[in-house]
Amino acid sequence: MSNELSITALISSLEELRYQAMQRNDVATIEHLLHPELSYVHSSGKVDNRDSFLNNLRDGLSIYHRIQHVVHKVHQSGDTAIVFGEMVADITSHGVDKTIQNRTLNVWLRTGMNWQLFAYQPTPIATLSSSPLTSGE
């Protein structure tokens, strides 16, 4: 049980670090957290690999102004951790301001001593009022 709690705490802290780095546009930190074979699906359905995702950040095509997130559950199996969560963000994507709200599924892989984000899959939530994030939690 303590190993499960420590993995949950570790992965949750990596999620927090990643979201903070995205808000600061700290590309170096984000790059360190992303697996070389990353598959990053956006709410729009567009898919980025690691290089294209980082280039979007470097080029200012994706700007994250505010990100609020919660980790609902972390499940570990060997060197894989699956994170079920939710994220609300105010972003500018290719010059268009928008607020997005997603349920999220993230896959982290452990390689050696490091955990890296291997896959990100959001599912848009139809209304902002249906979320625990927008109801004051």
Side-chain angles (χ1 to χ4, degrees):
M1 184 67 153
S2 67
N3 185 44
E4 183 178 318
L5 291 175
S6 64
I7 289 299
T8 296
L10 173 63
I11 297 298
S12 295
S13 70
L14 290 172
E15 285 281 297
E16 179 68 22
L17 178 62
R18 180 173 68 86
Y19 283 120
Q20 287 176 359
M22 288 170 66
Q23 277 186 213
R24 292 189 318 268
N25 199 38
D26 180 353
V27 178
T29 297
I30 296 166
E31 185 172 13
H32 178 74
L33 292 171
L34 302 182
H35 192 278
E37 296 177 38
L38 173 74
S39 178
Y40 192 101
V41 180
H42 296 269
S43 311
S44 65
K46 179 182 180 278
V47 180
D48 275 316
N49 61 30
R50 182 180 185 212
D51 290 340
S52 61
F53 181 74
L54 292 170
N55 286 336
N56 281 339
L57 295 174
R58 283 186 192 104
D59 295 344
L61 298 176
S62 297
I63 302 169
Y64 295 84
H65 306 287
R66 176 188 68 91
I67 302 174
Q68 194 177 0
H69 76 97
V70 63
V71 171
H72 293 300
K73 181 180 178 182
V74 176
H75 175 77
Q76 181 192 8
S77 180
D79 290 335
T80 303
I82 300 170
V83 181
F84 301 89
E86 189 172 337
M87 184 263 292
V88 177
D90 295 325
I91 67 169
T92 302
S93 177
H94 298 271
V96 178
D97 293 334
K98 56 177 103 173
T99 297
I100 56 173
Q101 180 178 357
N102 298 309
R103 304 256 190 250
T104 58
L105 177 65
N106 306 333
V107 179
W108 290 80
L109 295 182
R110 180 173 44 204
T111 50
M113 298 299 292
N114 295 317
W115 287 89
Q116 292 182 304
L117 183 67
F118 181 75
Y120 174 80
Q121 176 72 55
T123 301
I125 300 171
T127 63
L128 292 176
S129 62
S130 67
S131 163
L133 285 176
T134 58
S135 65
E137 283 187 28

